[in-house]
Amino acid sequence: MTEMVFGTTPVRAGDPILPRWWRTLDKWALACVLGLFAVGLLLGLAASVPLAEKNNLPRFYYVQRQAVFGVLALIVMLVMSMMSPRQIRRIGVLGFVISFAAILALPVIGTDFGKGATRWLSLGFVSVQPSEFLKPGFVALCAWFMAASQEVGGPPGKLYSFFAAMCIVLLLALQPDFGQASLVLFSWLVMYFVAGSPVILMVGVAGLAGIGGVAAYNMSEHFARRINSFLESEIDANTQIYFATNAIQEGRFFGVGVGEGQVKWSLPDAHTDFIIAVAAEEYGLVMVLLVILLYATIVVRSLLRLLKERDPFARIAGTGLACALGVQALINMGVAVRLLPAKGMTLPFVSYGGSSVIASGIAVGMLLALTRTRPQGEFAEILRRGR
């Protein structure tokens, strides 16, 4: 009966760690992550060359750096994927505390690199974007609170998670980084729904987000300028959106050819926020659909495996991580085709950036750990707990 309800359990007592890890891992999701990383390096060979020449650096300087960041991210991801849910929770909460402290320090020692938003800590040889590392830690913290609230006599964890979410959203909005703030709020709403929230409360939170958006439009010139640009009937020919949409149209189904694209010479952020435009121009719709398929496979397979998970923390945190990954990719690509206002958000594992790729490695490593097949207990135990 247990196998009929929860599937077979491949874990054997006394197994070495590596064979047990490999047998319980979602290998399809891992393969998709490796595929995304390979696509990122392929696109980086084209997209980052103009920036390297502009800065008088070797042509493949940024590709080499991305490869180093990627290897570090993959190592971190694999190590994280071997951990238990309890270890994931502890490391996630610790990471949240460190990232939160770094965000608090941004107004004092942060920099904007001329982009109008103070999001980075410059360490001289490398810059760090704390908000990227905050997201997986935030998911772990809120999942811990929500899971604890389901225990008999447990704390009001859902309320604690609400206050944590509002605090993070406010701090990110003040940078201003409305894209990351929206992603954090979305992740919290998804986890809150999985934890069993009343619909009316979620509608109320969505209403508060709408009110916050109106207030941000009236109070933030940075936010208002991006919304106005998005709502204009004609695209300004001097904006990155204009070059990105033209590149996507030029690419058609099969692209203009490897290395033949021109958008990378016009877009300052061709290697980061608009790398999907480079993919669409040089490789066409085929490459874009491949990238979408890889992200969709990771998200859908993770959610299907989490349906069998009885540990509340693993179920809630895994859902939050999977949905955050998928929505971040959706936002990045939606901006490039002008379905969404400009957000300044990277494409996980594909866009250039040390903070982005390593933080993505941490998040997906946590997700792989939480979606590993584990013994779910006897069916009689489930019946006893359901009484």
Side-chain angles (χ1 to χ4, degrees):
M1 179 65 75
T2 304
E3 292 182 357
M4 291 174 60
V5 177
F6 295 105
T8 58
T9 302
V11 179
R12 303 166 190 167
D15 271 353
I17 292 177
L18 287 178
R20 185 168 67 246
W21 165 78
W22 179 249
R23 193 162 46 248
T24 58
L25 184 70
D26 186 352
K27 302 174 187 63
W28 280 101
L30 177 61
C32 289
V33 172
L34 296 177
L36 288 170
F37 177 60
V39 169
L41 288 180
L42 177 64
L43 297 178
L45 289 171
S48 64
V49 169
L51 180 64
E53 293 187 358
K54 177 182 177 181
N55 294 332
N56 296 319
L57 295 169
R59 289 173 60 84
F60 300 117
Y61 172 82
Y62 292 104
V63 179
Q64 294 169 352
R65 284 175 61 90
Q66 183 73 351
V68 172
F69 292 140
V71 170
L72 291 176
L74 293 178
I75 292 173
V76 171
M77 180 186 71
L78 294 177
V79 171
M80 295 285 290
S81 69
M82 297 179 187
M83 297 182 180
S84 67
R86 177 176 294 184
Q87 292 171 322
I88 291 295
R89 185 190 67 199
R90 291 174 176 174
I91 291 179
V93 172
L94 177 61
F96 172 83
V97 172
I98 296 173
S99 301
F100 184 74
I103 286 180
L104 290 178
L106 283 177
V108 179
I109 59 176
T111 181
D112 63 357
F113 290 111
K115 296 188 177 183
T118 307
R119 304 175 184 175
W120 295 270
L121 292 175
S122 180
L123 304 179
F125 63 97
V126 70
S127 59
V128 178
Q129 188 174 352
S131 61
E132 291 285 356
F133 297 94
L134 179 77
K135 290 180 292 186
F138 169 79
V139 169
L141 178 73
C142 288
W144 179 32
F145 285 153
M146 294 178 187
S149 69
Q150 297 181 4
E151 299 175 358
V152 177
K158 292 181 181 178
L159 183 61
Y160 294 164
S161 71
F162 173 76
F163 285 131
M166 293 301 102
C167 179
I168 297 304
V169 168
L170 180 61
L171 284 176
L172 292 176
L174 290 175
Q175 290 185 4
D177 190 349
F178 296 102
Q180 298 287 7
S182 301
L183 189 58
V184 165
L185 183 59
F186 171 82
S187 302
W188 180 84
L189 285 171
V190 168
M191 291 189 293
Y192 204 62
F193 174 77
V194 173
S197 66
V199 176
I200 186 65
L201 183 57
M202 296 186 66
V203 172
V205 172
L208 287 176
I211 294 173
V214 173
Y217 180 84
N218 292 322
M219 299 173 61
S220 171
E221 181 181 352
H222 176 81
F223 184 79
R225 184 170 60 252
R226 291 196 170 187
I227 295 297
N228 291 337
S229 176
F230 172 71
L231 294 177
E232 289 178 356
S233 58
E234 295 184 2
I235 309 176
D236 186 348
N238 296 318
T239 62
Q240 296 199 80
I241 295 292
Y242 175 83
F243 292 110
T245 53
N246 277 356
I248 293 171
Q249 292 173 5
E250 290 292 329
R252 299 183 183 274
F253 285 98
F254 301 105
V256 299
V258 179
E260 299 298 322
Q262 298 300 314
V263 71
K264 58 195 176 188
W265 299 98
S266 306
L267 279 171
D269 294 330
H271 61 305
T272 54
D273 300 350
F274 291 95
I275 197 165
I276 197 66
V278 177
E281 185 182 29
E282 296 201 358
Y283 298 93
L285 181 63
V286 175
M287 175 63 79
V288 176
L289 291 178
L290 173 63
V291 171
I292 293 174
L293 177 63
L294 292 174
Y295 284 116
T297 301
I298 297 172
V299 174
V300 173
R301 284 190 60 87
S302 298
L303 294 179
L304 289 176
R305 291 170 76 95
L306 288 167
L307 286 174
K308 304 176 183 179
E309 181 59 59
R310 289 178 48 234
D311 181 354
F313 170 78
R315 186 173 62 251
I316 296 169
T319 303
L321 290 167
C323 292
L325 175 73
V327 170
Q328 180 169 342
L330 185 65
I331 290 174
N332 176 278
M333 290 183 279
V335 169
V337 295
R338 211 187 175 215
L339 288 175
L340 294 169
K343 298 288 185 182
M345 194 172 292
T346 58
L347 192 59
F349 291 108
V350 178
S351 295
Y352 172 82
S355 295
S356 174
V357 72
I358 294 176
S360 297
I362 293 172
V364 174
M366 294 170 64
L367 179 61
L368 290 174
L370 297 174
T371 55
R372 284 172 54 193
T373 307
R374 284 181 292 274
Q376 298 295 335
E378 297 297 331
F379 190 67
E381 181 185 350
I382 302 173
L383 294 177
R384 285 196 300 270
R385 292 191 178 187
R387 294 176 182 174

